[in-house]
Every structure is written in C-alpha cells, then in structure tokens.
Amino acid sequence: MSLNEKPLSLTMRVVLFVALTVIGCLTLVASLISSSINHHFLQQDSGELKVITQSVKSVLSKPYASEKNLRNAFSQAVAGHHGVYYQVNTAQGRLIYKSTATDFSEFVLKVTTSNRFNQNNIVEWQKNTHTYRALVSDFSTEQQLYKITAAIDMSFHLHFLNQFQQSLWAIMFGSAVLILLVAWFAIHQGLNPIRGLSQKMHDIQTNKMDVRLDEGQVPIELVNMVQSFNAMLDRLQGEFIRLSNFSSDIAHELRTPLTNIITQTQVGLSKKRQSEEYQELLFSNLEELERLTKMVNDMLWLAKSQNGLIKPAQDILSSHEEIEVLFEYFDALAEESSLILHKAGENISFYCDKLHFRQLLSNLLSNAIRYAPKGSSITVCSEITSAEKVCICVSNTGEKIPSAHLPYLFDRFYRSDKSRQRHSDGAGLGLAIVKALAEANGGNVKVCSNDQNTCFNVYLNLFKFI
C-alpha cells in the first residue's frame, strides 16, 4: 500500500470478508446440490438400465426356433419405459436386435463389460446431438456369447439440470446480494457506538479535561478501548495541570528578578548619581541576572533529562570520599548558619556519574542548610539496603513537612507554602534536579518527614566485587 492510499474502512473490510464467506458457502452449497441431483439421476438411470438388461437376458436365456422369433421376443421384452433403448450384438459385433433406429454397435466393442451388473461400467455416449447413458453387459448361452447394450436418452435430464442450475444460481446470487445488504446495514448499525464515542471525544476540550467516557454505555467489545482512553485522559489532565502550574510558577519566578532589575534601574536613572552608586546598581542587577541564568540553565537541563538526552558516564564511586569532598565545599556555609555536618554509615562503592552525584548531593545539602535550625546538625549516611542498593540519606532537624506535600516536593517550582515566600533565593528546581539525576543513573529518590527530622533518601546501584 502506498503512503497516499487510505486504508479500507471497517465497514468495507467486514463486508468484503462477509462477501467472500457468503460467495464461498453459496458456491459450495450449489455445487453440493447439483452433485446430489446428478447422483440421484445416476442412481435412477442405473436402476432402469439394470431392469432392461435383466429383461433382455431373460429373453436370451430361453430357446427359440429362429432369430425371427428371438427378435419378436426382444420387441416385447421391455414395456412401460420411456426414452430407453436396447440392442443385442454378438461378441464379434454382429447386430442381432436393436429397439431404435440408432445403432450403438460402434461403441459396444470399446467399453468394459462384465457378466454381472456393475454401476462403474455405466458410460455416457454422444451421438447425433443426443447424449446417452449406457451399460454393456456380457451374456453367454450354450450356442453364443452376446453383448447386451441398454441405453437411456439423457436429454430430459440435461434439460432439467440446465434449468435447475440457472434457477439455483439466480437464487444464490439474489441471496448473496440480500445477505450483503443486511450485513452492511448490521455493520453500519453496529458501528454506531464507535461514532457516538468519536463525537464525545471530539467534544473534549482543554477546558473540559474532566469529562470521561461511560464504560456502562458501550458494548463489551469497546470497554477496553474506553478504559484506555479514560486512562489517557487522566494522564493528559495530570500533565496539563502540571504544565499550567509550571507556567504559572515560572512566570512568577521570572517576574521577581525582572521586576527587581527594572525597579532598581528606574531608581538609578531617576537622577544623577555617583559612579559608586551606579556600580552598586550594576552589581545588584548582575546578581539577579545570574539567578535568571541559573534558572534557565536548570530548566533546560531538566527538559533534556526528561527527553532522555542526558547520557551519564557512570564511574565506581566511594560514598565517604564523595561526602567529604562536598563537606569541604559547604563547610563555610554551614558555619555561617552554626550547623554541623556529620558523616555516618559505612564506606560503600556504587555506580554513578561523578558530576551528577556531586550536583545531586550538593542540592540536598543546600536544601538542608536552608531549612535546618541554627545550631543543629545535618547528617549524611550511607548504607546498603535489603534490595542491594546503596542508600545515601541526607537528614536534618526542623519543622515537619506535612504528608500531603511529600509526593510533590520533587515537582518543579512546587512549594508547600502557597504564599510563595522563601527562606532564600532558591529557584525551586533543586529537588526536581535531584530526582532527574537519580533516575538518569538508574536510581530513585524518596523523602520522609516527622516531628524529629526530615530525610531525603537517594538509592543508587551498588557496586559488587566479582
């Protein structure tokens, strides 16, 4: 099929299948009926030929004074049979008697004969535009061996069969047309539920994403399709809601630094100022621009990770070694907040991209430092789970995160605080990046929170020595 050709409609496909089936079945039925009638005529003619042959044999079995007397006996041997003929020849082919002007002598010596009646020896002859069904039998007396020929004119049979077959095929053709019309109408009516579903699907718009198809209103064959469609709508609605929230959140996140830049610039240009004041204004604008740049880069990275464009180069990493490297980096920031960074657990080897792991752990430590109370401690623990995974847990004390918010913490720009107030200048993408980094390296991340502490658990593939 070429690219420009449209596939056949469901109605046409089913009608074609029904047409082939009906034509095949009706042809088989017509052939069986014709074969049955032919067999019936053959059986009827066989009985006639047997009776004629036995009558002739009965005549031959009696002695006669002369051939004239024999021929007279032959003329009276068969009575009450229409369209039947018989003749008697010697074994050498000499004609003794024939009941009609038609002579079958030229055929007699060519056919298979037997002393007893054998239906398999019945043959058909064509002579002078007539078709005959004939049987040639042997009969011997003390004086002579004879060949008895009994024949029936098949003209009546053939005429009847010809008319019958014409009528039969006309009936079969009419029946096929009627069946196909009924099948087309039934299929057309049977597809009404699909057309109804199509109309309901057409009515679903972005402002009507909560509409669902009713499984109870469709035939059982369409239930799976309706369930799949409703499940697809659930996924699309969820993605659409997240996309709408994301658009709203990103607009807010971009608006704040842009508003700061515009406001500071307007204030700076409202009157003449000293060069030091302009320099301070540029530094302030630079901070906001750097924040915007980081936010855009993070969103681009997340978009790439969701489309499978991030290909990690996994190495065998040591948990304590990587944790200590990051503790050195965050040590000064922790001291400013009077926080203590604590390492716990055993030193474990695992698979992960080194840069990805350091960025992942940096985001978790940055998040913990942001929300941990002053004077408390932040613990990073590494251990092997029962599923033979390495678990890197970053925990800090602080206010409990409500359980209703835990499933959404790794969504972009998600805040449990709907007033959109933050403790710092975070863009709200750190935890989303943590999740994307873990999944890109074949792991996953979970969070749990109670009145004592909040724990972020990262699960990665354990390195096993062979």
Side-chain angles (χ1 to χ4, degrees):
M1 182 183 292
S2 65
L3 295 177
N4 294 328
E5 292 182 2
K6 292 184 178 180
L8 289 174
S9 66
L10 292 177
T11 302
M12 185 57 66
R13 293 184 186 188
V14 178
V15 168
L16 286 176
F17 177 78
V18 172
L20 292 175
T21 305
V22 168
I23 291 172
C25 291
L26 292 181
T27 301
L28 178 62
V29 170
S31 300
L32 290 175
I33 293 175
S34 297
S35 176
S36 177
I37 294 176
N38 279 324
H39 181 72
H40 168 74
F41 281 135
L42 176 60
Q43 292 293 107
Q44 180 178 331
D45 292 345
S46 298
E48 293 278 350
L49 294 174
K50 183 178 181 181
V51 170
I52 295 170
T53 301
Q54 290 175 345
S55 298
V56 175
K57 285 183 178 181
S58 177
V59 172
L60 288 174
S61 63
K62 298 177 182 178
Y64 294 92
S66 65
E67 284 193 3
K68 182 178 180 182
N69 294 336
L70 178 62
R71 285 194 291 271
N72 290 334
F74 280 144
S75 64
Q76 300 174 5
V78 178
H81 293 271
H82 176 72
V84 297
Y85 311 99
Y86 56 95
Q87 75 178 44
V88 179
N89 295 79
T90 63
Q92 294 74 28
R94 183 172 67 86
L95 179 64
I96 301 298
Y97 177 81
K98 61 178 180 177
S99 63
T100 181
T102 305
D103 188 358
F104 301 110
S105 298
E106 60 179 304
F107 301 108
V108 169
L109 300 177
K110 299 179 182 179
V111 299
T112 303
T113 60
S114 64
N115 293 327
R116 297 183 178 181
F117 175 78
N118 189 345
Q119 185 173 319
N120 294 327
N121 291 339
I122 295 177
V123 296
E124 292 184 8
W125 293 333
Q126 186 78 30
K127 187 175 179 65
N128 300 329
T129 69
H130 288 271
T131 302
Y132 300 92
R133 180 170 281 153
L135 173 66
V136 180
S137 304
D138 291 332
F139 184 79
S140 61
T141 63
E142 295 178 356
Q143 297 81 15
Q144 184 71 43
L145 176 64
Y146 298 97
K147 289 185 177 294
I148 302 171
T149 304
I152 296 177
D153 191 347
M154 296 178 62
S155 300
F156 173 77
H157 295 349
L158 295 177
H159 178 70
F160 172 81
L161 285 173
N162 183 47
Q163 289 186 332
F164 177 78
Q165 287 179 348
Q166 290 179 358
S167 301
L168 179 63
W169 287 114
I171 293 172
M172 293 298 182
F173 177 78
S175 300
V177 172
L178 180 61
I179 291 173
L180 291 180
L181 289 176
V182 172
W184 176 87
F185 179 76
I187 295 166
H188 186 269
Q189 293 299 110
L191 293 178
N192 275 339
I194 295 180
R195 284 189 284 272
L197 288 178
S198 177
Q199 183 59 44
K200 291 179 180 178
M201 293 176 186
H202 180 75
D203 293 339
I204 296 175
Q205 305 293 333
T206 54
N207 60 342
K208 297 181 180 179
M209 294 291 289
D210 58 334
V211 176
R212 295 294 181 270
L213 302 180
D214 188 357
E215 299 177 16
Q217 300 298 319
V218 297
I220 190 172
E221 293 84 359
L222 300 179
V223 170
N224 287 337
M225 184 186 75
V226 170
Q227 290 175 344
S228 299
F229 183 79
N230 287 338
M232 180 190 69
L233 283 181
D234 290 337
R235 294 192 298 270
L236 289 177
Q237 185 179 22
E239 292 296 328
F240 185 77
I241 292 174
R242 281 191 286 273
L243 181 61
S244 298
N245 293 337
F246 172 74
S247 301
S248 176
D249 289 335
I250 195 173
H252 173 81
E253 295 295 338
L254 293 176
R255 182 181 61 186
T256 300
L258 288 174
T259 300
N260 291 340
I261 293 173
I262 293 172
T263 301
Q264 292 174 3
T265 303
Q266 289 174 341
V267 171
L269 295 176
S270 62
K271 63 179 181 179
K272 290 185 178 181
R273 301 180 184 277
Q274 298 296 324
S275 59
E276 292 80 4
E277 293 176 324
Y278 285 120
Q279 188 175 11
E280 183 180 351
L281 172 64
L282 291 175
F283 275 121
S284 178
N285 287 347
L286 179 60
E287 290 180 358
E288 298 293 344
L289 291 172
E290 287 176 345
R291 180 183 174 190
L292 284 173
T293 301
K294 183 179 183 304
M295 186 188 306
V296 171
N297 289 336
D298 288 345
M299 288 191 299
L300 289 175
W301 191 93
L302 285 172
K304 288 182 180 179
S305 69
Q306 289 181 341
N307 288 279
L309 300 178
I310 302 299
K311 304 297 181 183
Q314 292 193 335
D315 298 318
I316 302 173
L317 305 181
S318 171
S319 59
H320 281 188
E321 180 181 339
E322 297 300 323
I323 292 171
E324 288 172 359
V325 169
L326 290 171
F327 276 5
E328 292 179 4
Y329 179 80
F330 282 95
D331 187 58
L333 184 60
E335 286 184 1
E336 289 181 5
S337 301
S338 302
L339 298 173
I340 300 173
L341 300 178
H342 176 64
K343 177 181 65 178
E346 54 184 320
N347 187 23
I348 305 171
S349 297
F350 60 94
Y351 290 104
C352 191
D353 186 292
K354 179 179 288 189
L355 294 179
H356 287 179
F357 180 75
R358 291 185 177 181
Q359 184 179 0
L360 177 155
L361 195 55
S362 295
N363 288 356
L364 290 178
L365 286 172
S366 176
N367 186 74
I369 291 172
R370 183 181 306 151
Y371 292 102
K374 287 187 176 182
S376 63
S377 63
I378 297 173
T379 302
V380 181
C381 177
S382 57
E383 60 182 1
I384 299 177
T385 67
S386 59
E388 295 188 341
K389 291 265 189 178
V390 59
C391 175
I392 308 296
C393 175
V394 179
S395 62
N396 63 276
T397 59
E399 185 179 349
K400 176 184 177 181
I401 302 174
S403 58
H405 298 297
L406 293 180
Y408 308 102
L409 289 182
F410 298 100
D411 291 349
R412 290 172 290 187
F413 300 119
Y414 181 80
R415 298 176 182 79
S416 58
D417 181 7
K418 297 303 180 181
S419 64
R420 298 184 179 271
Q421 297 298 320
R422 286 193 177 274
H423 293 82
S424 66
D425 58 354
L429 295 173
L431 294 181
I433 292 176
V434 168
K435 180 181 178 181
L437 288 169
E439 292 177 349
N441 286 272
N444 63 305
V445 59
K446 296 181 180 179
V447 59
C448 57
S449 183
N450 53 41
D451 294 331
Q452 286 73 40
N453 58 14
T454 297
C455 300
F456 286 87
N457 300 317
V458 180
Y459 299 91
L460 297 169
N461 294 321
L462 176 68
F463 171 72
K464 297 181 181 179
F465 293 95
I466 301 176

